Amino acid sequence: ETFRSEVEEVIREWSIFVETIDRAVEDALRTTVKKSLQELSRSINGDAKTEVQALFRIGVVLQANKVEFKPSISELLQTVNNISKDAIATTSAVPRLTEALTEGEKESKDGKPPPPSFYQHISNDEDILKVLVQVMTGMREILPRLQKYLNTWDRYKHIWDVDKDAFMRRYAKANRALTSFETDIARYKELQ
């Protein structure tokens, strides 16, 4: 009888210890995810101590008579969104210590269902969701500046909008003087 009560006491203390460590692991995972997202937010939005950092290389290309970004803005937004979600999703690979030690029992011996996974807790954490919103808001706030930059190329649109073959045919038929050719070449060099 005494042995049985001592064993039950050890089991109870062990369960308390395992739950304490489980909570500590959850807190560590939550803190890691939150700090990772805060660092991403700080890079995108800047703060009192940090300037906005260049994180992405975006090319401006002329394709099919249209100036556009490569990767596109929507692709960039989707990438940042996926990275942010993946930072949270990494916690799904870590099993709860209480589950690992009970080997997948549906309920514990005291009749309580197992606690939600680390991922379920962390993905619904209010502080983490706020930082996630800051990241995506920062990405959306750069859209007007990117569009403004893209619009700066509109003043050169006449260069690529012209049907060059038709222009050259008309130019050849014009029978212009040599000085006229030299003037046009100088004007295009200046434009370049």
Side-chain angles (χ1 to χ4, degrees), residues 22 25 29 90-101 116-118:
D22 194 66
V25 169
L29 288 172
T90 57
T91 61
S92 65
V94 182
R96 293 214 78 113
L97 189 55
T98 52
E99 284 179 24
L101 294 177
S117 70
F118 290 133

Side-chain angles (χ1 to χ4, degrees), residues 162-174:
V162 175
D163 181 359
K164 283 134 186 83
D165 293 331
F167 178 82
M168 292 307 287
R169 282 192 298 273
R170 283 193 311 272
Y171 201 80
K173 289 180 183 177

Side-chain angles (χ1 to χ4, degrees), residues 13-159:
E13 289 299 318
W14 176 250
S15 294
I16 292 169
F17 175 74
V18 168
E19 287 175 12
T20 303
I21 298 301
D22 194 66
R23 282 192 301 275
V25 169
E26 181 178 332
D27 290 343
L29 288 172
R30 180 182 291 108
T31 300
T32 301
V33 168
K34 184 177 176 183
K35 286 188 183 266
S36 296
L37 291 175
Q38 284 173 332
E39 196 61 37
L40 180 61
S41 177
R42 189 176 298 114
S43 297
I44 291 171
N45 299 311
D47 63 11
K49 299 175 187 173
T50 310
E51 292 283 327
V52 174
Q53 298 174 15
L55 295 177
F56 311 103
R57 179 182 291 273
I58 301 176
V60 179
V61 296
L62 175 62
Q63 194 168 21
N65 286 340
K66 185 178 177 186
V67 178
E68 57 191 15
F69 289 115
K70 288 291 180 184
S72 71
I73 301 306
S74 61
E75 290 171 329
L76 187 60
L77 285 171
Q78 189 61 46
T79 299
V80 171
N81 190 26
N82 289 343
I83 288 169
S84 300
K85 288 180 179 179
D86 287 348
I88 298 169
T90 57
T91 61
S92 65
V94 182
R96 293 214 78 113
L97 189 55
T98 52
E99 284 179 24
L101 294 177
T102 57
E103 297 181 23
E105 293 177 16
K106 297 293 181 212
E107 292 184 350
S108 64
K109 291 184 169 102
D110 58 3
K112 290 191 271 185
S117 70
F118 290 133
Y119 172 73
Q120 289 169 324
H121 262 231
I122 292 171
S123 65
N124 292 317
D125 183 83
E126 193 174 308
D127 290 339
I128 289 176
L129 293 175
K130 283 180 185 176
V131 178
L132 190 58
V133 167
Q134 288 174 349
V135 168
M136 295 317 293
T137 300
M139 289 301 294
R140 282 189 211 93
E141 286 177 354
I142 64 169
L143 293 178
R145 289 183 284 174
L146 289 173
Q147 190 58 48
K148 183 178 177 183
Y149 175 77
L150 206 55
N151 291 341
T152 62
W153 292 96
D154 284 347
R155 63 183 167 176
Y156 302 108
K157 191 173 185 157
H158 65 279
I159 295 172

